Amino acid sequence: MRNYATAVRDHRGEPRDEVMHRTHAIDGDGRSMRLVLVNMSANGLMARCEGAPEAGGRLRITLPILGGIDAVVRWSLGGRIGCELEKTIPLADYYSMLSIMVRAC
């Protein structure tokens, strides 16, 4: 029997890289919130956050090398959010950013 995590991973269709990176985001109303990125790919991420941004909300998330990137909250549950990035991060930039995140852990 498949568990929830497996079902989500299969639905996403894209593997995620495990990270533990502290950053912040600005919501659509201009409020700042702290995030801890838990995993990510070139198209999305999961993070722990303060507050409870609503699904459908927009965030501007600060990432190493890239600066601010725009994302849409796809789900929010118990202090965690899943976001889809507005634009795919080019792979060269993604791996450069990922190497900085991994070194910082």
Side-chain angles (χ1 to χ4, degrees):
M1 176 176 217
R2 291 174 9 152
N3 65 25
Y4 176 75
T6 302
V8 169
R9 184 174 38 246
D10 290 349
H11 176 70
R12 208 172 32 227
E14 173 176 61
R16 296 276 177 103
D17 293 298
E18 300 297 320
V19 297
M20 188 63 64
H21 180 76
R22 294 180 190 281
T23 189
H24 69 277
I26 305 295
D27 69 14
D29 294 326
R31 293 181 298 237
S32 181
M33 71 177 71
R34 285 184 241 157
L35 299 177
V36 177
L37 304 182
V38 175
N39 65 48
M40 70 178 305
S41 71
N43 291 301
L45 58 87
M46 183 178 83
R48 284 188 251 144
C49 65
E50 55 186 30
E54 291 187 22
R58 298 205 179 292
L59 298 175
R60 183 144 185 94
I61 302 169
T62 302
L63 295 175
I65 295 177
L66 304 173
I69 61 159
D70 295 319
V72 176
V73 177
R74 291 296 176 200
W75 58 266
S76 178
L77 179 65
R80 293 180 302 142
I81 57 173
C83 296
E84 180 180 0
L85 304 181
E86 291 278 327
K87 295 181 182 175
T88 300
I89 300 170
L91 285 181
D93 293 338
Y94 176 74
Y95 288 119
S96 294
M97 176 196 69
L98 194 61
S99 70
I100 290 170
M101 289 179 167
V102 170
R103 276 186 291 198
C105 290

